[in-house]
Amino acid sequence: MPKRMLEESFFDFRGGLNTADVEDALNRNELRAAGNARIFTFGGASKRTGSQRLHGTALVSGAVRGVFEWDASGTKQLVAVASGNLFYKTLAATTFTTVSITAADQFSTTAPAFFQTYRANTSGAALLLFLSSANKYYKWDGATLTRIDGVTSAPTARVIKSYGARMFATHNSFKKFVYWSKIGDAETFTISTPTDGGSAMVDLLTGDEITALETIGGSLLICTDDSIARFTGYSADDIQIAQDTRGLSTEVGPVGPQAILNCENLAYFLSDKGPYVANEAGVVPIGQQVEDTFEDMDRTVIANVVVGYHRGRYEVWFAYADASDSALNKHVMVYQTRLKRWYGPFVYTFGITSFARYEDANGDEWLV
């Protein structure tokens, strides 16, 4: 007598991707493979939509080292750093405009650029965009770029992050130091009174250099590859950063300066042990179901991992280089924050070096 086959239909995939367990142990709503697929909150699955080019011609021949959208005098402006130059365009523009920069003031062509909006505490002050690149610090008002490191003690910054009423920065040469600006003034780092700028050497438990800064809630996270410390000031003019740091993790930290990101008041990051999420109390692993996938990363370029957030789809994107990607971040694993589940990888034909939120003229959310 022939064996009877039992056919079942599945309509609920909310369990997401699971590559860690054996197939017999998968739940009915989990998937063994979800490449280039997206899982929706109601449990359905669909093919990932493609990427769309925002401008007609390439910026330059070199890689893009940073991209960011901000409100420049009430007009949304997209800025990009590539081949040492700064480019910008408004939503209506079809091409980018190149900013004239002297050779000595050009951005790094190999290190990522970091962006932070900031408004001074003076009457009628305009919103400005501050940028850092390897060992240079700039301000941009939407039309004019000014290099400001070395002026009023501003540091040769690597990573910058606004926290409270100050700008914080890591130093290109003093790799265990954190610098902070005067209250309400992101350009002045001169040390004088408690409300002025300053710096401090931070003991991050491992002795490693500071690689990343991020903020969540009322805390500034100071990160190395293997640890995360939390600084919480008592007031705007009370720094004492060396005394007031508290450890969140002594084992894991973001693998690179772009490998951590604040999403919905949580800090998602990729460590050398897989993906984690941090709050102000500690860190929690979130990659148990996809550990096998992340183990296939090219660890020789793990410091280049980039984390982005698609606000419209509630997705945290982890861009990394697979072993077959020729050292470029062509693979993206996606964590859906509503389902708290994984899908992907999304596989691209190009390497991803930067992510940014992009809101178009209709108010729709994109990730560039």
Side-chain angles (χ1 to χ4, degrees):
M1 181 177 179
K3 294 183 179 180
R4 298 180 63 183
M5 300 296 293
L6 179 62
E7 294 186 1
E8 293 185 273
S9 298
F10 293 90
F11 302 97
D12 184 357
F13 301 103
R14 276 174 286 192
L17 180 65
N18 185 340
T19 61
D21 295 331
V22 297
E23 291 192 18
D24 290 343
L26 294 184
N27 294 321
R28 288 171 60 88
N29 64 350
E30 291 181 330
L31 296 166
R32 170 61 74 197
N36 288 310
R38 176 172 272 119
I39 311 300
F40 296 102
T41 54
F42 57 81
S46 72
K47 181 180 178 181
R48 165 180 73 87
T49 53
S51 55
Q52 178 179 336
R53 180 174 289 183
L54 290 179
H55 56 99
T57 58
L59 292 176
V60 285
S61 59
V64 174
R65 292 303 172 190
V67 61
F68 191 78
E69 185 185 49
W70 72 299
D71 292 319
S73 301
T75 301
K76 287 198 176 295
Q77 185 183 85
L78 187 66
V79 297
V81 172
S83 289
N85 296 305
L86 180 69
F87 302 83
Y88 69 95
K89 63 179 287 187
T90 61
L91 291 181
T94 57
T95 59
F96 280 87
T97 299
T98 306
V99 179
S100 178
I101 305 176
T102 64
D105 293 334
Q106 285 190 322
F107 291 80
S108 171
T109 58
T110 56
F114 295 90
F115 307 84
Q116 180 67 64
T117 53
Y118 192 94
R119 192 187 303 271
N121 62 351
T122 56
S123 177
L127 182 68
L128 298 176
L129 179 63
F130 289 83
L131 305 90
S132 65
S133 173
N135 62 350
K136 297 169 184 175
Y137 187 39
Y138 311 81
K139 68 175 180 179
W140 167 252
D141 63 5
T144 303
L145 181 70
T146 305
R147 184 175 171 185
I148 57 177
D149 56 274
V151 181
T152 56
S153 301
T156 53
R158 288 189 299 161
V159 181
I160 56 175
K161 182 63 64 173
S162 174
Y163 170 69
R166 303 179 187 260
M167 183 74 79
F168 282 76
T170 63
H171 199 285
N172 192 56
S173 299
F174 299 94
K175 300 184 184 298
K176 289 190 63 176
F177 276 72
V178 170
Y179 289 71
W180 58 87
S181 73
K182 179 181 179 179
I183 292 177
D185 184 355
E187 300 180 49
T188 302
F189 287 73
T190 305
I191 302 172
S192 183
T193 66
T195 60
D196 287 316
S199 65
M201 183 176 178
V202 182
D203 182 7
L204 282 172
L205 311 176
T206 62
D208 294 336
E209 66 179 78
I210 299 171
T211 57
L213 300 175
E214 189 51 273
T215 56
I216 52 171
S219 301
L220 175 71
L221 303 186
I222 307 171
C223 311
T224 74
D225 291 349
D226 297 312
S227 65
I228 301 178
R230 177 171 70 93
F231 165 68
T232 303
Y234 298 118
S235 63
D237 60 353
D238 182 9
I239 292 295
Q240 297 182 335
I241 192 168
Q243 291 82 10
D244 294 336
T245 51
R246 301 175 183 179
L248 288 187
S249 169
T250 59
E251 294 184 359
V252 294
V255 294
Q258 298 184 101
I260 184 170
L261 187 67
N262 182 336
C263 311
E264 302 181 6
N265 206 31
L266 293 170
Y268 292 85
F269 68 94
L270 186 67
S271 76
D272 57 4
K273 297 174 67 175
Y276 281 73
V277 63
N279 57 25
E280 293 184 272
V283 301
V284 178
I286 57 172
Q288 298 93 322
Q289 291 178 306
V290 291
E291 286 178 349
D292 290 356
T293 301
F294 280 105
E295 287 177 358
D296 290 336
M297 291 188 300
D298 182 350
R299 293 184 177 270
T300 63
V301 290
I302 195 172
N304 297 334
V305 164
V306 185
V307 178
Y309 180 52
H310 195 314
R311 290 167 58 106
R313 296 187 181 274
Y314 311 107
E315 296 174 343
V316 183
W317 289 35
F318 294 79
Y320 64 96
D322 184 80
S324 62
D325 286 343
S326 302
L328 299 176
N329 294 335
K330 294 183 179 182
H331 277 64
V332 175
M333 286 297 294
V334 179
Y335 183 76
Q336 222 279 354
T337 61
R338 293 297 183 268
L339 293 173
K340 294 180 171 53
R341 292 293 183 266
W342 291 91
Y343 42 82
F346 295 174
V347 184
Y348 290 86
T349 59
F350 51 84
I352 297 171
T353 56
S354 180
F355 280 128
R357 175 194 177 190
Y358 180 73
E359 183 181 332
D360 65 18
N362 298 320
D364 294 329
E365 293 283 347
W366 304 79
L367 186 65
V368 293

